Each structure stands twice: as structure tokens, then as C-alpha cells.
């Protein structure tokens, strides 16, 4: 099982207990009075059977507070997700933090900011590199690229999943557009692996048919489900942190009621994917203060009150087009706030240019940042040994030193973290070793990974089965006129 | 009448959605020439659009000013029709987000900025079926068809609509402009669009260029 990072101190709280309670009560008010749209008669009938008031014509379900609260209680606070290799199983929830790889449409040149469509070889290479990075515990859907040369858009999600499973044993999330969940479920099952399902709202307060059908398929397969609303503060949600927290909570709690009606006890990962709108352009304002505050409030409410594992997407994409100072500070401040406030998962590695691109070299640099954040929440030990009072007494005053003590030799590696790509040379050493920066060192690490890393291969039978499923998918989409 | 004209401009420049209908109705009831009233509203939204382009105003300002127009213009338009007059515009643009896609913000920005630039805009909304685009282009005799798609999975809908225009024999009558997050110039070229804009202001420039209108 993957260890991830264990938070060893209380999470940071940005809300008082009464503010948490008020936000929850007002969320229940929204669900009871405004309701949530479900673009599926089947889903509406199920919700009706379980106590919701339904307006079939408007496709609306109104949620009684008791039903919402009992559904929250049905969600496990932690659950296991099984990989095809048990070393990569995940135990999601509690005080554990995992990092999820980010994604991009295209391959970015991190120094020039120029993007292009990656080849399949580049796609597979990026997965292989992510498999080698210790701080990546799982993959989001579409990872790493959601455009691959020669792959038709409608075949992208299923093809991408097959490639992730072939080139890595780490857990991955499924997707929901255009019936792709059918093929992704079959692919995961054929590989003997569990998938994290997916149900994403169309904010405000609506679930499209694809999301609902995806939830049915993933839940019936016995997979946990990652729920997300993807609201835009000022666009599809109120512009304020408190208001967008309520609308986002309402969207996610509606999904929880629905999923628990399909199968009580299904594991849920509630994703906070709420971004302010960039009011200069209408684009999303990724890695912003608004996201950071929203996620901190979200983690507190979902961790303390609902006891449902959380994921945070706010640090997935910096606004910078390059791997530069802006990229690093934007991602780090948001991810650090997520980790300190109790997120169970953070989407982080490799994304750049506001969701448009990805680069494995950046993922390698991000590995160092994620390790630093993870080590931060693990805190430090306070014991007789670490307080080292005996050694302080032994060393005494100048010219005493701690460098020649066994205590120093044994403890420095336990409490320090040495980033693999960061430049830590003295200036003369740096001059004499080719003026290398973090990007150069990350490239060297990438070459080393490509030369030495190994991934447990699929059996040839399983590999053939994945090809067969992809061919069946192609036929399905061709028959539907989508290919 | 001068006061009415100024009030119409002010209601837009103050983003005063709540008073929009009242100000428009007062202007018409007090005998203001509806064509001059329309020109006042258009002039004001143009000022808002220009300030947005310069970065002095922001998206909520642009959208709220557009809401003022949505409330005020039907009253002014009714008066223009009663008078039997017609309003001049730079051209007609049919705009919408393609079928399967419910994203509206980018499309709404382009729609507002086109309007502010002086075009007549027929906004079909979101999740627009191909046949509805074709019908609107024919019925309105549009100069431009502008389509938005925010998902990689719905981008190909734009191509389907262009194919539909060809099959209906009206492709040559209308310029097609595409935009949206997954769209780029290469994709626009590949599906046979006439133009592509990566931002809303650029989309307006592309429409003007295609119709031979100087900025």
C-alpha cells in the first residue's frame, strides 16, 4: 500500500464551529428549496423513491435535510482502492495525504511556453516518469495529455486510461464524457484494478446525463466515486468564498444522496474544484487566493463535519506559461494551504499554462515541492532522543560541535528532505559544474528514470484484452456516428 | 429630450439593471426619437466595451451593462417598429454554444462585445443543435455564424454545422467564426472555418476583418 504522507497535527481551521454549522444549514436550505437538476428520469425516480420531491418536467429533485444528512453518514470516512500491484493500493481518508498528477491538453515547452500535440510515445513516456516519482500516488482522468496525435477525441479517455494502466501500476481516476465510463470500467476490470469513478456537476446545481450514467456504471462496478462541481466564483457560483462554499456543497451533497441511493456505503472523494473567474478575461483564475481560501473552508467542513475524504484541484495549474518563479509560487502556496487544512488528495504535478499543457520535466520539479509539502505535514518528533538534552550538555559551549555526534548522523536524514532537482551548490561549485538550474537537473533525472525505472508489465492476455475493449469502443462510437 | 438621451446613457454606464426599463419607458413616453434612444444605448455599451478592452472595466461590468441593454432595448425596439423605422447595424451575427456544450460565459462575452461594436446579434444560447444554427442563418440572412465550444468532445460539433451549411447550399453566404478553450487556428482551419479568435475582443476583430470593416 502507498503510504502517502500522514498529517501528524490538527488541521488548520479557518472557520469557527458555528460558521461551519451555519454553512451546512444554509446548504440544506438550498437543497430543499432550489433543489438540483438531474438530467435523467431514471435518477429522478430513484431519488423520489428515497424521499426527494421531484419535478419531472423541470428535471428537478428537492432534498429533505434528513435524507441529506443520513446520506452523508453512509459515506465511509476511509476506504481502500486496489491496484493491479498491491504496493500501489491506496487507503483514502483520515489523516493521509496523497498527491495526484495534474494534466494538460498538450505538451508544453516549459522554457518557451510553446505547446504542441504529443505523440503516443511521449504520452506513454510521461506516464512512465510519473510512475517513478515517489510523491505521485495516483492519476487524474485524461492524464497526462488529453490530446494525443492520432487519437480521435471521442477515443481519448479510454485510450489514455489503457496507456496509464500499461505504463504504471498506480491508481487512476475515470472520466465521464460521451459514455467513456463504459470502456474505462471494462479496461480497469480487465487489468484487475479498481478505478476511482467520476461524477461531475455542471454548476450551478445541475448534473448532465453523462455524469449520472457514469455514476451508475462506476458504482455498480463497486468503485468509489470522485465527485466534483467545477464552479466558477462569479460565474456559476456566488463570487464570495462563503457563497460559493454553499453552492458547491449543495452540488456535491446532491451527488452524495444520489450515489448512496444507488449503493449505500459507496466510497466518496469530494473534490473542491472551485476557481474565481478572471474578471479581465472570463478565464478561470487558477492557483489564486480565492481557490486557496475556498479549499481551506471546504477541507474543514468535509473533514470535521461530514468526515468524507477530500481532494483539492486548486494547485493543479499555474497561470504562468513556463516553469518559472510564478509557476512555483502559485502552485506551492495553494497546495501548502490544502495540505495544512487537511486535504486527503491534492492535484499537483506537471500542469502548466492554465489547463492547456503538461510537461514531465515540470512534474519532476513538482515532485520535490510535493515531497516538501508532505514532509511539512508530517511534522517532527518530540522525544527524549530528539530533544537531545544529553547531547547539548555533552557538547557544552564553544568550541563544542554537534557535527561529530552519532545523533547528528542518524537524525539529519530523518528530519531533512533533500530535493533531487533543486540547485544547492555553492557559487564556485555551480560555476564549475555547468551553471545548472532546477530544470537542467530535472532533465537529468528524467533521463535517469527513463534508463533505469521498471514497471510491472501486463500479461500478454490482459494486453490483448485491452486492445479488444478499445476496438469495441471504436465500433460503438462509429455506430453512433461519432467516429 | 437631451435629458432622456443622457439618462439612457447613464443607466448603462451606471450598470443600473433595476432602472433600465423605467428609464427606457420614460424616454419613449416623453417623445424621444426611438432611433436616437437606440443610438444612445449603443453608444454607452460601446464605451463600456472599449473600457473593458483597455482593462479599465471588468467582466461583471460588461455583463451588467449588457443586462441593462437586454431590458431597455425591447422597449426602444418596439417604438422603432411602431414608427416603421429600421436600425442600422454593421451586420448580422448568429451566435451560440454548440450542441452538447452548456458553457455560456465566453460566448456571452463575444455576444456583448459584438453588440457593443454595432452588430445585430442573434444569440441562440447554449446547447444549440446544428439544425437550429442553420435555420437561424437562413431566417436572419446572417452575415456571420459564430460558434463556441469549451469541450474537446464538442469541438467537432462546429465541423458538423459547417458541413450542414455546405449541404444546405448556404456556406458561401455566411462567414463562420469559431472559438472556445480547445479551439486553435489549426483546428479552425481543419474544419473549414473562416476565422478564429482566442479571446472575445479578438473574436470581434476577426468578424470585422472578415466583413471588411475597419477597426
Amino acid at each position: 500500500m502507498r503510504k502517502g504522507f500522514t498529517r501528524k497535527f490538527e488541521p488548520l481551521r479557518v472557520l469557527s464551529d458555528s460558521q461551519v454549522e451555519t454553512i451546512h444549514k444554509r446548504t440544506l436550505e438550498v437543497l430543499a428549496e432550489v433543489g438540483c437538476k438531474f438530467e435523467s428520469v431514471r435518477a429522478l425516480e430513484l431519488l423520489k423513491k428515497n424521499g426527494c420531491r421531484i419535478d419531472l418536467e423541470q428535471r428537478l429533485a428537492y432534498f429533505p435535510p434528513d435524507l441529506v444528512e443520513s446520506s452523508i453518514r453512509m459515506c465511509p470516512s476511509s476506504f481502500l482502492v486496489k491496484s493491479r500491484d498491491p504496493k500501489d493500493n491506496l487507503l483514502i481518508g483520515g489523516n493521509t495525504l496523497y498527491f495526484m498528477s495534474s494534466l494538460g491538453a498538450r505538451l508544453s515547452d516549459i522554457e518557451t511556453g510553446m505547446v504542441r500535440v504529443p505523440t503516443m510515445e511521449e504520452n506513454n513516456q510521461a506516464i512512465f516518469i510519473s510512475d517513478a516519482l515517489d510523491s505521485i500516488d495516483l492519476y487524474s482522468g485524461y492524464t497526462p495529455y488529453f490530446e494525443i496525435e492520432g487519437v480521435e477525441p471521442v477515443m481519448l479517455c479510454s485510450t489514455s486510461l489503457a496507456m496509464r494502466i500499461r505504463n504504471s501500476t498506480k491508481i487512476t481516476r475515470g472520466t465521464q464524457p460521451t459514455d467513456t465510463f463504459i470502456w474505462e470500467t471494462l479496461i480497469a476490470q480487465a487489468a484487475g484494478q479498481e478505478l476511482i469513478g467520476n461524477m461531475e456537476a455542471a454548476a450551478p446545481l445541475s448534473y448532465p446525463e453523462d455524469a449520472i450514467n457514469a455514476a451508475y456504471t462506476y458504482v455498480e462496478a463497486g468503485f468509489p466515486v470522485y465527485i466534483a462541481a467545477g464552479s466558477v466564483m462569479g460565474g456559476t457560483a456566488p463570487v464570495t468564498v462563503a457563497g460559493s462554499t454553499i453552492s458547491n456543497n449543495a452540488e456535491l451533497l446532491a451527488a452524495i444522496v444520489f450515489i448512496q441511493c444507488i449503493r449505500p456505503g459507496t466510497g466518496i472523494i469530494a473534490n473542491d474544484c472551485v476557481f474565481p473567474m478572471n474578471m479581465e478575461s472570463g478565464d478561470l483564475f487558477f492557483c489564486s487566493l480565492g481557490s486557496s481560501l475556498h479549499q481551506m473552508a471546504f477541507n474543514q467542513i468535509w473533514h470535521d463535519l461530514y468526515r468524507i475524504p477530500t481532494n483539492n484541484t486548486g494547485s493543479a495549474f499555474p497561470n504562468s506559461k513556463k516553469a518559472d518563479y510564478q509557476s512555483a509560487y502559485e502552485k506551492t502556496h495553494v497546495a501548502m494551504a490544502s495540505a495544512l487544512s487537511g486535504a486527503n488528495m491534492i492535484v499537483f504535478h506537471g500542469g502548466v499554462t492554465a489547463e492547456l499543457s503538461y510537461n514531465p520535466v515540470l512534474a519532476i520539479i513538482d515532485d520535490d515541492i510535493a515531497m516538501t509539502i508532505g514532509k511539512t505535514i508530517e511534522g517532527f518528533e518530540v522525544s527524549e532522543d530528539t530533544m537531545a538534552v544529553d547531547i547539548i550538555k555533552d557538547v557544552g559551549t564553544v568550541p563544542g560541535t554537534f557535527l561529530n555526534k552519532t545523533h547528528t548522523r542518524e537524525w539529519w536524514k530523518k528530519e531533512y528532505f533533500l530535493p533531487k532537482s533543486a540547485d544547492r551548490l555553492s557559487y564556485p561549485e555551480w560555476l564549475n559544474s555547468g551553471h545548472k538550474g532546477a530544470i537542467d537537473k530535472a532533465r537529468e533525472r528524467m533521463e535517469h528514470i527513463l534508463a533505469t525505472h521498471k514497471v510491472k508489465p501486463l500479461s500478454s492476455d490482459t494486453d490483448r484484452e485491452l486492445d479488444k475493449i478499445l476496438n469495441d469502443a471504436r465500433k460503438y462510437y462509429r455506430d453512433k456516428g461519432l467516429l | 429630450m437631451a435629458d432622456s438621451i443622457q439618462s439612457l446613457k447613464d443607466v448603462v454606464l451606471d450598470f443600473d439593471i433595476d432602472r433600465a426599463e423605467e428609464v427606457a419607458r420614460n424616454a419613449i413616453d416623453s417623445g424621444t426619437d426611438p432611433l436616437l434612444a437606440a443610438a444612445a444605448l449603443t453608444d454607452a455599451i460601446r464605451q463600456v466595451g472599449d473600457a473593458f478592452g483597455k482593462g479599465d472595466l471588468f467582466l461583471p461590468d460588461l455583463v451588467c451593462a449588457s443586462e441593462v441593454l437586454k431590458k431597455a432595448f425591447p422597449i426602444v425596439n418596439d417604438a422603432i417598429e411602431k414608427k416603421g423605422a429600421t436600425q442600422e447595424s454593421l451586420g448580422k451575427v448568429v451566435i451560440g454554444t454548440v450542441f452538447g456544450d452548456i458553457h455560456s460565459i465566453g460566448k456571452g462575452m463575444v455576444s456583448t462585445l459584438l453588440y457593443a461594436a454595432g452588430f445585430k446579434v442573434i444569440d441562440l444560447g447554449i446547447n444549440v443543435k446544428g439544425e437550429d444554427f442553420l435555420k437561424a442563418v437562413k431566417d436572419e440572412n446572417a452575415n456571420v455564424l459564430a460558434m463556441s465550444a469549451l469541450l474537446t468532445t464538442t469541438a467537432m460539433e462546429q465541423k458538423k454545422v459547417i458541413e450542414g451549411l455546405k449541404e444546405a447550399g448556404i456556406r458561401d453566404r455566411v462567414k463562420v467564426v469559431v472559438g472556445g478553450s480547445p479551439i486553435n487556428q489549426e483546428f479552425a482551419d481543419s474544419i473549414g472555418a473562416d476565422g478564429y479568435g482566442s479571446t472575445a475582443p479578438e473574436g470581434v476583430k476577426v468578424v470585422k476583418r472578415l466583413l471588411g470593416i475597419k477597426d
Side-chain angles (χ1 to χ4, degrees):
Chain A
M1 174 137 50
R2 294 193 70 79
K3 183 175 161 287
F5 298 96
T6 306
R7 185 173 36 73
K8 291 181 181 158
F9 45 83
E10 285 298 302
L12 193 60
R13 292 187 165 87
V14 293
L15 300 167
S16 67
D17 289 349
S18 67
Q19 285 172 328
V20 170
E21 188 61 25
T22 302
I23 286 173
H24 174 61
K25 293 289 181 205
R26 302 307 295 271
T27 302
L28 294 178
E29 180 186 327
V30 169
L31 282 168
E33 293 180 17
V34 184
C36 186
K37 189 176 272 189
F38 280 75
E39 297 282 2
S40 158
V41 173
R42 183 186 175 200
L44 288 165
E45 294 292 351
L46 178 69
L47 289 166
K48 185 180 176 186
K49 198 176 133 197
N50 283 274
C52 287
R53 184 164 60 84
I54 298 298
D55 180 339
L56 209 51
E57 196 179 328
Q58 297 297 319
R59 299 283 192 265
L60 278 167
Y62 300 91
F63 296 79
D66 289 354
L67 176 63
V68 178
E69 293 190 325
S70 64
S71 300
I72 292 169
R73 288 194 293 275
M74 285 179 195
C75 301
S77 58
S78 66
F79 51 87
L80 186 71
V81 188
K82 291 181 186 165
S83 161
R84 67 183 175 91
D85 186 340
K87 77 174 173 55
D88 283 323
N89 289 353
L90 300 179
L91 183 60
I92 295 172
N95 291 341
T96 301
L97 168 65
Y98 289 126
F99 281 94
M100 191 189 295
S101 171
S102 187
L103 64 156
R106 295 181 172 197
L107 170 61
S108 170
D109 182 317
I110 52 176
E111 285 173 289
T112 65
M114 297 295 108
V115 298
R116 63 177 173 79
V117 177
T119 62
M120 183 61 84
E121 188 185 350
E122 286 167 328
N123 177 75
N124 296 346
Q125 199 178 64
I127 301 165
F128 184 78
I129 291 162
S130 294
D131 188 80
L133 298 178
D134 282 346
S135 66
I136 294 181
D137 297 296
L138 73 161
Y139 304 105
S140 46
Y142 315 91
T143 314
Y145 303 106
F146 50 97
E147 282 182 44
I148 304 172
E149 203 174 280
V151 179
E152 305 88 339
V154 79
M155 283 298 297
L156 190 278
C157 294
S158 45
T159 305
S160 174
L161 176 69
M163 294 310 162
R164 285 200 295 285
I165 287 181
R166 281 173 167 145
N167 291 284
S168 178
T169 50
K170 292 179 180 175
I171 293 290
T172 181
R173 181 167 74 80
T175 59
Q176 71 182 37
T178 333
D179 295 348
T180 188
F181 45 85
I182 299 170
W183 314 106
E184 292 188 81
T185 298
L186 291 172
I187 287 167
Q189 288 171 330
Q193 179 154 322
E194 289 182 326
L195 205 58
I196 295 176
N198 189 70
M199 181 182 186
E200 288 181 45
L205 293 164
S206 306
Y207 281 91
E209 195 177 12
D210 269 352
I212 295 160
N213 291 340
Y216 270 118
T217 301
Y218 289 133
V219 173
E220 283 163 2
F223 298 153
V225 182
Y226 171 103
I227 56 173
S231 314
V232 185
M233 297 159 75
T236 57
V239 76
T240 50
V241 175
S244 56
T245 296
I246 289 175
S247 63
N248 183 55
N249 270 11
E251 282 144 7
L252 297 184
L253 291 178
I256 281 177
V257 173
F258 169 61
I259 289 168
Q260 298 306 322
C261 286
I262 303 174
R263 184 168 165 162
T266 294
I268 298 286
I269 301 153
N271 179 32
D272 195 47
C273 180
V274 177
F275 303 96
M277 185 184 288
N278 178 348
M279 293 304 184
E280 293 161 312
S281 63
D283 287 338
L284 301 182
F285 191 1
F286 290 108
C287 278
S288 57
L289 180 62
S291 283
S292 192
L293 290 170
H294 197 281
Q295 290 181 166
M296 290 163 83
F298 179 85
N299 292 334
Q300 183 178 344
I301 295 166
W302 287 73
H303 185 271
D304 285 7
L305 189 64
Y306 302 157
R307 302 196 180 284
I308 292 173
T310 61
N311 179 70
N312 289 176
T313 308
S315 52
F317 312 103
N319 298 289
S320 173
K321 316 299 178 283
K322 302 176 185 179
D324 60 5
Y325 183 85
Q326 182 188 340
S327 170
Y329 86 71
E330 285 187 338
K331 291 180 81 165
T332 305
H333 91 84
V334 178
M336 184 65 89
S338 291
L340 291 173
S341 57
N344 296 109
M345 292 186 188
I346 295 173
V347 185
F348 196 68
H349 300 69
V352 71
T353 325
E355 206 178 10
L356 284 175
S357 57
Y358 177 93
N359 189 293
V361 175
L362 182 60
I364 290 172
I365 296 171
D366 287 340
D367 180 54
D368 281 340
I369 304 176
M371 291 296 286
T372 307
I373 293 170
K375 292 279 184 184
T376 303
I377 66 157
E378 296 213 309
F380 56 89
E381 186 180 319
V382 179
S383 63
E384 207 43 43
D385 199 10
T386 61
M387 286 191 289
V389 177
D390 288 346
I391 299 162
I392 295 169
K393 288 177 184 173
D394 182 43
V395 169
T397 57
V398 172
T401 175
F402 293 87
L403 193 57
N404 59 1
K405 302 296 175 196
T406 305
H407 182 270
T408 303
R409 195 178 58 75
E410 287 178 351
W411 272 98
W412 84 272
K413 280 185 184 166
K414 292 182 189 172
E415 289 200 353
Y416 281 27
F417 167 65
L418 284 181
K420 292 188 169 73
S421 304
D423 164 36
R424 299 182 311 282
L425 297 176
S426 67
Y427 189 62
E429 286 172 326
W430 180 77
L431 288 176
N432 290 331
S433 61
H435 307 186
K436 287 175 191 167
I439 294 175
D440 304 306
K441 288 167 71 75
R443 285 207 173 97
E444 288 176 2
R445 191 176 171 206
M446 182 171 87
E447 293 308 318
H448 180 72
I449 289 169
L450 291 173
T452 59
H453 185 61
K454 298 272 186 285
V455 173
K456 181 181 172 184
L458 291 173
S459 71
S460 51
D461 282 353
T462 305
D463 205 53
R464 274 195 298 275
E465 181 61 19
L466 297 200
D467 278 340
K468 181 184 172 301
I469 294 166
L470 290 175
N471 282 332
D472 290 347
R474 229 168 253 120
K475 181 175 181 311
Y476 175 85
Y477 291 123
R478 201 174 295 123
D479 290 347
K480 285 193 150 212
L482 295 170
L483 268 181
Chain B
M1 191 171 84
D3 284 352
S4 296
I5 293 293
Q6 192 56 50
S7 297
L8 284 163
K9 286 184 181 175
D10 287 347
V11 80
V12 178
L13 297 172
D14 292 342
F15 318 104
D16 195 345
I17 301 168
D18 293 340
R19 289 191 60 242
E21 285 172 330
E22 178 197 331
V23 170
R25 204 169 303 285
N26 285 346
I28 298 303
D29 291 350
S30 66
T32 304
D33 180 341
L35 285 171
L36 292 177
L41 291 170
T42 309
D43 183 47
I45 192 76
R46 196 168 294 149
Q47 285 183 46
V48 172
D50 288 348
F52 174 75
K54 287 179 193 160
D56 295 334
L57 289 178
F58 296 90
L59 192 53
D61 307 316
L62 182 69
V63 173
C64 287
S66 161
E67 290 298 315
V68 173
L69 254 70
K70 279 185 195 167
K71 286 179 177 278
F73 240 111
I75 295 162
V76 174
N77 274 340
D78 277 354
I80 291 172
E81 278 178 25
K82 277 182 193 157
K83 195 180 169 188
T86 49
Q87 228 188 314
E88 285 191 12
S89 80
L90 292 179
K92 276 188 190 174
V93 183
V94 167
I95 188 168
T97 304
V98 297
F99 183 61
D101 202 324
I102 56 169
H103 294 90
S104 64
I105 292 168
K107 184 266 303 167
M109 284 171 68
V110 177
S111 177
T112 302
L113 290 176
L114 282 168
Y115 188 81
F119 288 93
K120 181 172 183 193
V121 181
I122 299 103
D123 190 337
L124 302 181
I126 56 172
N127 202 18
V128 181
K129 289 184 177 163
E131 58 260 37
D132 293 334
F133 275 122
L134 299 187
K135 183 171 184 308
V137 167
K138 276 188 215 165
D139 291 353
E140 298 288 343
N141 200 19
N143 306 99
V144 175
L145 169 61
M147 290 183 285
S148 168
L150 207 88
L151 303 171
T152 48
T153 45
T154 56
M156 290 307 283
E157 279 294 319
Q158 297 177 332
K159 184 180 181 183
K160 282 187 187 171
V161 177
I162 293 173
E163 297 298 325
L165 289 170
K166 286 180 190 165
E167 283 165 24
I170 54 173
R171 177 66 186 91
D172 296 341
R173 277 169 39 187
V174 65
K175 299 290 184 190
V176 179
V177 179
V178 292
S181 197
I183 314 298
N184 55 27
Q185 188 64 55
E186 181 192 347
F187 178 81
D189 293 342
S190 76
I191 63 170
D194 298 304
Y196 154 75
S198 64
T199 63
E202 196 185 313
V204 177
K205 282 185 185 168
V206 170
V207 169
K208 282 185 171 175
R209 178 172 51 77
L210 289 172
L211 297 183
I213 300 164
K214 283 185 184 167
D215 259 335

